[in-house]
Amino acid sequence: LFARFTRSRYVPSVRRSATSAALAWALMASAYPSSAKTYEPDNELAPKEAVKAISARLADITTPDERALLLADHIITLTTLSRYDEAEASLVEARALKVSIKVAPEIDLAEATLREKLQRTITASELARKAMDARRRIYGHDSPEAVESETFLAQILASLSKLDEATALARHAWETSGTSGAGVDRRRIKAGFQYARILNIVRRID
């Protein structure tokens, strides 16, 4: 199955063997559950535990940037648990804060996550693209932050059948995540999974 992914026109023939092996690894690794994004550095809390931890932190945080970041994590985690009304309430609060240019894209990504789950896919793609562009400007085109945003936008674009751009983004994210520093393994797993998934969609269409 993994070898068939590499027969897509998007993957040069000289790299098929290495690409197939890497995508196979990424797909197998992605089978293990991953917790929702949280403010915890090790990102290992289960979603329900994360909601409690974030809520406890929110009671003590008043500075706009710190609070907005926690609220962004709150939105994502609540969305993971299908607690959409609570996620919307946190989004309203986050949008009301005056935040720095580094924090603004995190709110956009959180809202994009919520909108995608609610099947407002076009809105989700617009927000995800806005966040990706901002992260590229702030951190650099090949930064871990940009790679993470590319992977997410590729996922959304694939669901909109915008496969050329989705493939290009996912491929860049997968290739770049191998050299982007801390947190490389998790980002590479996610990017590799999306790249393989999109290549499979293209293969079926072809």
Side-chain angles (χ1 to χ4, degrees):
L1 177 61
F2 303 117
R4 289 204 297 272
F5 291 164
T6 64
R7 287 199 283 272
S8 164
R9 62 181 180 273
Y10 295 99
V11 184
S13 59
V14 295
R15 301 179 63 185
R16 284 179 183 169
S17 178
T19 301
S20 180
L23 293 180
W25 169 78
L27 280 169
M28 287 186 291
S30 67
Y32 295 96
S34 174
S35 65
K37 176 188 175 188
T38 77
Y39 73 92
E40 294 292 329
D42 62 4
N43 198 24
E44 294 300 330
L45 289 180
K48 288 184 179 179
E49 295 172 336
V51 167
K52 292 179 181 178
I54 295 169
S55 297
R57 285 282 289 153
L58 281 169
D60 300 325
I61 299 297
T62 58
T63 58
D65 275 8
E66 288 184 76
R67 190 165 184 84
L69 287 172
L70 283 172
L71 286 166
D73 287 342
H74 207 217
I75 293 161
I76 292 171
T77 311
L78 289 168
T79 298
T80 301
L81 295 169
S82 301
R83 291 163 59 175
Y84 305 126
D85 289 344
E86 294 171 78
E88 291 281 6
S90 288
L91 177 61
V92 169
E93 182 181 350
R95 288 295 187 197
L97 296 170
K98 292 183 179 180
V99 299
S100 68
I101 58 171
K102 286 189 175 182
V103 173
E106 309 312 313
I107 301 174
D108 288 333
L109 281 173
E111 183 174 358
T113 303
L114 175 59
R115 299 299 170 231
E116 184 197 27
K117 197 74 180 286
L118 294 174
Q119 299 184 334
R120 293 179 56 184
T121 316
I122 293 175
T123 300
S125 71
E126 292 169 349
L127 288 162
R129 187 182 300 281
K130 181 182 174 185
M132 180 188 72
D133 290 344
R135 280 182 164 192
R136 283 175 169 178
R137 287 193 303 271
I138 296 165
Y139 303 107
H141 194 84
D142 294 337
S143 65
E145 293 81 4
V147 164
E148 186 177 53
S149 298
E150 286 175 345
T151 302
F152 183 39
L153 180 56
Q155 171 187 314
I156 298 171
L157 292 175
S159 69
L160 290 169
S161 298
K162 296 182 178 181
L163 297 177
D164 287 342
E165 186 180 6
T167 303
L169 285 170
R171 179 177 176 180
H172 180 264
W174 177 61
E175 291 177 342
T176 306
S177 62
T179 57
S180 56
V184 126
D185 288 347
R186 181 164 295 174
R187 290 188 182 96
R188 190 162 175 79
I189 288 169
K190 291 180 179 180
F193 176 78
Q194 287 303 326
Y195 186 31
R197 186 179 73 88
I198 294 166
L199 289 179
N200 193 37
I201 293 170
V202 172
R203 181 189 63 81
R204 291 202 309 267
I205 292 173
D206 289 346

